[in-house]
Amino acid sequence: MVGNGKMNPSSEAGEEGVKSLLKWAAKYGIEVSESCSSLGLGHCLGVSCFPGAGGRGVVALRPISKGELLLKVPKSALITTDSLLSRDETLSLALKAHPSLSSTQVFTVCLLYEINKGKASPWHPYFLHLPRSYSILAAFGELETQALQVDDAIWAAQKAVTKAKYEWEQAFTLMKELKLKPPLLTFRAWIWATGTISSRTLHIPWDEAGCLCPVGDLFNYAAPTEDPDSFENVENWQNEHAKDDLDIHHSQRLTDGGYEEDVAAYCFYAKKNYNVGEQVLLSYGTYTNLELLEYYGFLLEDNPNEKVFIPLDLDMHSLSCWPKESLYIHQNGRPSFALMCALRLWATPPQQRKSIGHLAYSGCPISKGNEIYVMKWIGKKCDALLKEMPTSVEEDKSLVHLIDKMVEYENLGEWVKEASAVFGGEFGDNNILKAAYGVEGDDELTSLVRTKMLIDRWKLAVQWRLMYKTVVARCISYCTDIINSLSTQ
């Protein structure tokens, strides 16, 4: 896991910060204990650090069985729009004059308003635990956005930024009316609040904006491992993707728990068996790496739900009954079921399509010649994609390594100078330095913090494009192997 999304350590770092959070949590009825060597959550969990696997997370203190209740967080501890409004008449009255704001915008304003109270807020100890920044796509600047290199990803980042700015501008009048402190009125503060809600909220039945769940958000992410393309027949495939079409980001936020009315608490359950010392993970749902970056600000190096889309001709789409989002390359380089069906039919002479179409739609190869033709077409398309990229897989690997070495340099300028000698375009006209130091009025400390956040986002962009290219390269190898195998039969 790479990046600084949900797993990011708190701003009040270290064991003392966790102790402070758990002490506060106990007052709200969240089962915690400090009697174990690890900082305890209930009777079976602890808080620990997992370098390279999400950072701070939850550890099993004893063997845990699949389906076992892990943690209960009472409704009184949840942060929701309702819980914030019920405590503040001023906020409630002010919101009535702005009915056009979405539920998420309202929750964002409410969160910033509560932060504005400082220590007077009952959730202040929890707020201290939250990350100070998020690397979600809405936080990307032009440098990081262009570093993604892939048109679809660049468009996703630009759309996320545009949407965030529009929503901030819509809510700005309300925030001024509420007399938020100047730093909390800024777009940067809005992005922070948006990132908090996007990466940390859990689904609740009474508010589509979700809830913040103190202590419950210490769990790191595990991607669902079910293969969405392993269907025995077309009926199963269609049924599964019909479910996908109904999937809404917030309604599927957590698949290993939920709010339970009978106990008035958010309950978390083990998704598998765990041994003592293992990190206990939860799934927030099925996401590609671009989606993880958009909503959570991190990536998975080995994401079983990754999808890479390659450009297809218009006539391929017109021939296919499959939705566009089902035509992709798997993380392992294998073309999806729907993509193979569509291409097999497209590669069939028009006069034969009606008679053998049932074979294509059932996922069966039509003929050896047809299969070789399709594999050659995919391989050629993927090869062209890689050649069109500004940098190669090896260059991206070297760049990630170079970014990691940045800490060895006394200042950013020296690092940029050496990097420019190796990588030309990305460092042209001192783009990195301009982006890092381009904000007037910042003091040295603020500039350093801003620079670190920018470098973190830029590294994520480079890592994402590297993962994308790696999948494309795997697809070329897969197609070549299939062609060679068929040619010898």
Side-chain angles (χ1 to χ4, degrees), residues 33-107:
S33 170
E34 294 183 38
S35 60
C36 305
S37 57
S38 297
L39 296 164
L41 297 173
H43 305 290
C44 62
L45 304 174
V47 181
S48 189
C49 187
F50 299 89
R56 178 182 298 162
V58 177
V59 63
L61 299 181
R62 64 164 174 79
I64 297 173
S65 301
K66 181 179 180 180
E68 185 175 341
L69 177 65
L70 297 172
L71 183 69
K72 280 199 304 185
V73 179
K75 184 177 182 180
S76 59
L78 303 178
I79 303 175
T80 67
T81 298
D82 286 348
S83 67
L84 295 175
L85 290 177
S86 65
R87 293 170 176 267
D88 199 298
E89 187 177 359
T90 301
L91 177 62
S92 183
L93 290 173
L95 275 169
K96 289 180 180 179
H98 299 269
S100 63
L101 297 181
S102 70
S103 60
T104 303
Q105 284 175 294
V106 170
F107 193 17

Side-chain angles (χ1 to χ4, degrees), residues 401-456:
H401 178 68
L402 194 59
I403 294 172
D404 289 335
K405 285 180 60 180
M406 191 183 298
V407 293
E408 300 174 10
Y409 291 78
E410 291 186 6
N411 62 68
L412 182 62
E414 289 183 11
W415 179 85
V416 170
K417 184 177 180 181
E418 179 174 326
S420 299
V422 182
F423 307 95
E426 208 146 356
F427 297 85
D429 298 322
N430 289 320
N431 289 333
I432 302 292
L433 292 175
K434 287 180 181 178
Y437 300 122
V439 179
E440 295 183 7
D442 280 352
D443 56 35
E444 185 175 353
L445 179 59
T446 302
S447 182
L448 286 172
V449 172
R450 192 185 298 276
T451 299
K452 183 185 182 306
M453 292 190 297
L454 182 144
I455 297 299
D456 287 344

Side-chain angles (χ1 to χ4, degrees), residues 295-420:
Y295 300 122
Y296 298 98
F298 67 84
L299 303 168
L300 291 180
E301 292 187 36
D302 188 21
N303 185 356
N305 303 300
E306 179 66 319
K307 298 177 181 178
V308 165
F309 296 89
I310 59 175
L312 299 176
D313 298 340
L314 288 176
D315 58 337
M316 294 176 182
H317 287 296
S318 62
L319 280 173
S320 172
C321 66
W322 312 108
K324 288 177 65 175
E325 59 270 20
S326 67
L327 308 174
Y328 61 87
I329 307 296
H330 281 285
Q331 189 257 357
N332 61 8
R334 183 168 57 89
S336 70
F337 177 91
L339 180 59
M340 286 303 300
C341 291
L343 291 179
R344 284 166 179 155
L345 188 62
W346 166 78
T348 300
Q351 64 273 17
Q352 298 178 19
R353 287 172 184 162
K354 186 174 181 180
S355 62
I356 62 174
H358 65 285
L359 289 175
Y361 287 120
S362 66
C364 297
I366 292 174
S367 68
K368 184 169 77 171
N370 178 281
E371 199 76 357
I372 289 175
Y373 184 86
V374 167
M375 288 298 168
K376 283 184 176 180
W377 186 91
I378 296 174
K380 185 178 179 181
K381 200 74 173 178
C382 288
D383 184 61
L385 263 182
L386 291 180
K387 288 178 178 176
E388 290 171 1
M389 293 287 178
T391 55
S392 66
V393 168
E394 292 306 316
E395 286 173 330
D396 287 345
K397 287 180 180 178
S398 298
L399 183 53
V400 170
H401 178 68
L402 194 59
I403 294 172
D404 289 335
K405 285 180 60 180
M406 191 183 298
V407 293
E408 300 174 10
Y409 291 78
E410 291 186 6
N411 62 68
L412 182 62
E414 289 183 11
W415 179 85
V416 170
K417 184 177 180 181
E418 179 174 326
S420 299

